[in-house]
Amino acid sequence: MTDTTGAREPGDAPAAPASAVWLRGQLLEIASALRPDRRPEVVREWTDRVRWRDPAPAGHRFLFLLRVATDDRPTPPDDALDAFTAAGWTVRTQGSGPDGESWTAAGREDFDVRVCTGAGRGITTFTGWTPVIYAAEQLLSQPPFTRRTADGILCDDCHGWGVCQGCGGRRPYSGGSGGYGRCWCAGNNAGPGRCVECGGTGLLTAEEVAWLRRPHGDDDTSRRPPPEDGHDSSTGAFLAVSRRPCRRGEFRCSWRNTLSRTDGHLLSHFHATCRTCATRRTHTFRLPLH
């Protein structure tokens, strides 16, 4: 894998297992079938740590981000859906964003993929991830979220599991911490056995952790930088922006892409929320009209 989980974490991920090799090839094959006239590209490949109580990772999840070139014509969402269906994947959910982009989540056994299609001529991306590969014999299930697969900010208390780390989610009267065999999470409004911080969801929204943005800054609209030059296509701009970290050094974002025209130029807008510090990130690129 060419990337690890971020600047704050050392590159201690194991070598890519057979499941990751299969997923990478599967995504490239589906992308090639979707756009046979354009070669897909793996933009990033990295791992997400999975923690359970201890700071050391209990396992890793392997992830891939691909772009499907769409600068000349859009890729209809239904075409992407049909390509995954034809390859044996099952569509799990679909949705649309406030700026016209659409997304689809598909799965096959324990593998998941998210397809995002930008509005207008916005680019199409695939983000796929494997099930968690545990470092040793672990009596752990698959976590609901890791940092890149969550639609929100991963909870720092339970690391995305949604359960109390004191009692491990067990019924609080069958042993645990807090005295008298009763874990302190028994008084939690979310219910015994659930994480107190996130209420059992495993993640928090950017609004709930807005305080995180204060020490790290925020790319809000009042401080949005002017459009950047230097790229001939939205695809080229995406390759650049997907490699940019936030002020804290985190690169993981679910980038949304929209295009607009102004003053004789095509503007490609990218916006996302950082998975670590909740910073709202925005970048705009000025592209030539074709």
Side-chain angles (χ1 to χ4, degrees):
M1 308 295 283
T2 57
D3 283 298
T4 56
T5 49
R8 296 178 297 107
E9 299 168 353
D12 57 357
S19 59
V21 175
W22 177 86
L23 177 61
R24 188 181 193 275
Q26 183 79 177
L27 294 176
L28 283 169
E29 183 179 329
I30 294 172
S32 297
L34 181 62
R35 290 296 305 273
D37 57 323
R38 291 296 184 93
R39 182 180 177 182
E41 182 172 352
V42 179
V43 177
R44 295 197 79 139
E45 46 187 288
W46 72 99
T47 62
D48 273 357
R49 284 180 164 192
V50 176
R51 295 172 57 191
W52 178 255
R53 296 179 179 165
D54 297 328
H60 292 81
R61 171 171 275 160
F62 296 79
L63 298 99
F64 302 90
L65 171 64
L66 280 72
R67 66 101 178 122
V68 181
T70 56
D71 288 303
D72 55 340
R73 60 182 175 85
T75 299
D78 287 346
D79 286 4
L81 179 100
D82 292 342
F84 274 91
T85 301
W89 292 67
T90 300
V91 175
R92 292 177 175 169
T93 55
Q94 291 178 276
S96 59
D99 296 300
E101 76 276 4
S102 62
W103 58 269
T104 299
R108 182 171 176 175
E109 298 177 352
D110 292 327
F111 296 87
D112 288 280
V113 66
R114 188 179 179 96
V115 181
C116 293
T117 301
R121 293 194 298 166
I123 61 175
T124 297
T125 61
F126 297 168
T127 303
W129 55 89
T130 68
V132 173
I133 308 297
Y134 289 108
E137 282 296 323
Q138 300 276 349
L139 298 176
L140 296 176
S141 60
Q142 290 292 316
F145 306 106
T146 55
R147 196 172 300 282
R148 182 54 179 84
T149 66
D151 288 323
I153 312 303
L154 206 70
C155 176
D156 268 348
D157 277 23
C158 68
H159 318 304
W161 288 88
V163 302
C164 171
Q165 297 290 285
C167 65
R170 299 185 299 270
R171 293 188 63 84
Y173 293 97
S174 61
S177 59
Y180 302 105
R182 177 175 178 174
C183 182
W184 67 283
C185 71
N188 179 16
N189 288 333
R194 296 185 179 180
C195 174
V196 176
E197 182 68 23
C198 66
T201 63
L203 56 89
L204 302 169
T205 66
E207 290 74 21
E208 289 173 318
V209 290
W211 60 272
L212 279 171
R213 292 198 290 267
R214 289 197 289 271
H216 301 295
D218 192 5
D219 297 329
D220 62 22
T221 55
S222 65
R223 295 195 299 271
R224 181 178 297 174
E228 302 177 39
D229 295 310
H231 294 283
D232 294 330
S233 67
S234 193
T235 297
F238 175 66
L239 294 178
V241 77
S242 65
R243 290 173 167 83
R244 294 185 182 180
C246 74
R247 292 181 177 92
R248 199 180 179 187
E250 176 63 80
F251 69 86
R252 282 164 293 203
C253 283
S254 288
W255 290 106
R256 292 158 51 195
N257 176 237
T258 58
L259 288 91
S260 64
R261 293 174 183 245
T262 181
D263 298 330
H265 291 279
L266 184 67
L267 296 180
S268 182
H269 307 277
F270 293 89
H271 40 109
T273 299
C274 177
R275 297 297 199 203
T276 297
C277 65
T279 297
R280 290 190 295 267
R281 302 183 59 193
T282 62
H283 299 280
T284 300
F285 298 87
R286 186 185 293 108
L287 310 177
L289 287 171
H290 297 293

